[in-house]
Amino acid sequence: NDILVVPSLAEGKVTPSSIEVMVAGKVENPGVVLFEPGETASLVRAILKAGNFNKFAKKNNVRIIRRVNGKNSVIRVNVEQLFKSGELSNDRRLISGDLVIIDESWF
């Protein structure tokens, strides 16, 4: 029942109403993405803030790992389809602490 405290990687830029998420994997600039108060925190915006997908990204199976009630929840999103269709109304909202993982495509 240990508690692990991880300090923010946003170097003091986080305010109480800011949203901080981590984008990992096959994007140009993986790391912490900060959404300022009033800014819409969404999956597509987080990917774009992280420099967009790199050429090795698996765009059709992006994972959002979210901690809910002490358990990890995995949300899978086909971002490639969102971009192709232009149907960004299906974009996923993010909350502070979310981890976005973009795996490598093998073909």
Side-chain angles (χ1 to χ4, degrees):
N1 292 334
D2 291 346
I3 296 175
L4 178 65
V5 177
V6 180
S8 171
L9 298 175
E11 299 172 353
K13 298 177 186 171
V14 178
T15 63
S17 55
S18 295
I19 295 174
E20 183 180 338
V21 300
M22 176 69 85
V23 180
K26 300 305 175 182
V27 289
E28 293 298 328
N29 302 303
V32 174
V33 171
L34 180 66
F35 292 93
E36 296 295 333
E39 187 178 4
T40 302
S42 73
L43 176 59
V44 169
R45 286 176 186 250
I47 291 168
L48 294 175
K49 280 181 166 249
N52 211 340
F53 293 115
N54 71 21
K55 64 182 180 179
F56 302 108
K58 185 175 184 179
K59 302 171 190 168
N60 65 352
N61 191 19
V62 174
R63 293 177 289 152
I64 302 169
I65 311 297
R66 180 173 292 165
R67 190 102 172 134
V68 178
N69 297 326
K71 295 184 180 183
N72 287 339
S73 168
V74 179
I75 303 164
R76 296 181 185 275
V77 182
N78 185 340
V79 177
E80 183 175 41
Q81 187 62 35
L82 289 177
F83 283 158
K84 282 183 182 176
S85 70
E87 190 63 42
L88 295 180
S89 62
N90 291 328
D91 193 5
R92 293 301 205 124
R93 287 283 180 132
L94 299 177
I95 60 173
S96 275
D98 280 351
L99 169 62
V100 176
I101 301 174
I102 295 101
D103 292 319
E104 184 173 1
S105 177
W106 292 98
F107 48 91

